[in-house]
Amino acid sequence: MPPRLARLLAVVAAVALVVGAFVLRGVISGDDDGIDGPGVPLVRWKVVCDADLGEACERLESFPGIEEVKVLAAGEVLGPGEGSDPLAGFDLWITLDPIADVVGGDATTPAGGSKPVASASLAVVLRPEGGCDDPAPWDCLLAAGRNPFGLPDLDSSTGIVTAGAALIGLAGSDSPSRRDVGEHSGTLAEAEFDDLDGLTDDIYLPGRVSGIVVPAAVAESIMDTGRAESEQLGAVGIVDPPTIGVVVTPLRDDPDLVGGAEEVAAEILGRGGEQNVLTALAEAGFDGPPERSSGLPDPDVMYALWEELS
């Protein structure tokens, strides 16, 4: 082989190795440097989005780093039947903290891999007959002898974490046990469980519920209506209110997926314009800063409570 041709082939081989390593780094890390066409990452994530997050799930579909979005309620993940795994084949789950750990098992990573993107607090809207102080203790809100108190549906993540917050109040402990589940689940079972639209409708109707607990932003929107004034509704806080975080959770304990959770969380926090996911989260009631949940029982206790009430 002529020396000039040999040198040329060597240069071509070296360039090919450098380009190959550069593209491979982009695939592994999820960097925008490795792209398939203008602005399209080579690594694209399959995402499950919690139905409680409303239009935010639809807006995620426009992200260049997301290949597919599947919308599921928490109840569809917790109770699909033996041998069925609705999360199979997906990489990330955008849901409320700590729902991924309530599901548990090999499908999810420990909560430390989750990246927060938004949060909500809870608030109470009471009818005139509600009769509880501000802030209201859970034993007053759930007291027998009057119309039932309205809680979010237990098929929803919001319902599961709200029931967990109520258990803490009823048990009088920051860390209730499974024994507390057995002792207080009967009181919780007397509540009126419904989706947020149903609870919002019920609070305006005399004789349906004594009050409801919903994300604070939803309570504010109810109180801003003329019907709230005509029905003499009142908004109060809850004793020791929890913080409910929205998180991006990797579905396997894999460094690449942890990086994917960081990437998608950063995109959610940084995106503006018509596809602003934070605006959609705020419309769903999650208008607070990116925080993890606090003021809730351990995930295994929350699962036991969900199982008992379901």
Side-chain angles (χ1 to χ4, degrees):
M1 180 182 298
R4 178 178 294 179
L5 179 59
R7 286 195 299 272
L8 178 61
L9 291 175
V11 170
V12 170
V15 170
L17 286 172
V18 171
V19 171
F22 185 77
V23 172
L24 180 60
R25 181 180 69 83
V27 170
I28 292 173
S29 67
D31 289 347
D32 288 340
D33 297 325
I35 57 174
D36 181 11
V40 180
L42 284 171
V43 176
R44 301 184 72 207
W45 310 107
K46 293 186 175 182
V47 175
V48 175
C49 184
D50 197 307
D52 285 17
L53 305 183
E55 190 181 334
C57 296
E58 182 179 338
R59 295 189 183 186
L60 289 169
E61 295 175 354
S62 68
F63 282 27
I66 292 179
E67 177 181 345
E68 179 182 352
V69 177
K70 181 180 182 180
V71 180
L72 290 174
E76 295 177 274
V77 180
L78 281 164
E82 188 174 351
S84 176
D85 183 4
L87 302 177
F90 286 83
D91 304 309
L92 307 173
W93 189 8
I94 303 178
T95 185
L96 305 191
D97 178 38
I99 294 298
D101 295 306
V102 173
V103 174
D106 296 331
T108 55
T109 191
S114 299
K115 304 301 174 186
V117 294
S119 64
S121 56
L122 295 178
V124 173
V125 180
L126 290 175
R127 291 196 57 80
E129 64 272 21
C132 292
D133 295 333
D134 184 7
W138 280 102
D139 56 357
C140 177
L141 296 174
L142 295 166
R146 59 187 179 197
N147 294 323
F149 186 76
L151 295 177
D153 197 320
L154 287 168
D155 280 338
S156 71
S157 295
T158 304
I160 294 168
V161 297
T162 301
L167 179 65
I168 282 183
L170 293 172
S173 169
D174 292 338
S175 184
S177 65
R178 288 173 177 261
R179 181 175 180 177
D180 292 313
V181 170
E183 183 175 346
H184 298 289
S185 59
T187 300
L188 279 164
E190 296 298 319
E192 179 73 19
F193 291 95
D194 204 345
D195 60 34
L196 289 183
D197 288 340
L199 292 175
T200 301
D201 290 340
D202 286 346
I203 194 63
Y204 295 120
L205 302 175
R208 295 291 290 273
V209 292
S210 59
I212 60 174
V213 61
V214 291
V218 176
E220 290 173 9
S221 67
I222 292 172
M223 294 304 300
D224 284 341
T225 64
R227 292 184 68 187
E229 183 176 357
S230 64
E231 291 294 330
Q232 301 179 44
L233 304 184
V236 301
I238 302 172
V239 173
D240 298 326
T243 296
I244 311 300
V246 180
V247 293
V248 184
T249 299
L251 286 172
R252 293 180 297 281
D253 193 6
D254 180 316
D256 289 346
L257 295 191
V258 173
E262 293 176 349
E263 173 190 317
V264 171
E267 180 77 2
I268 290 172
L269 293 170
R271 173 161 289 222
E274 294 182 359
Q275 297 303 318
N276 188 322
V277 174
L278 292 179
T279 299
L281 288 173
E283 290 170 355
F286 302 95
D287 61 347
E291 294 179 5
R292 299 188 58 80
S293 292
S294 60
L296 296 174
D298 291 337
D300 63 319
V301 174
M302 290 177 66
Y303 179 82
L305 181 61
W306 173 84
E307 194 172 40
E308 184 73 21
L309 293 173
S310 297

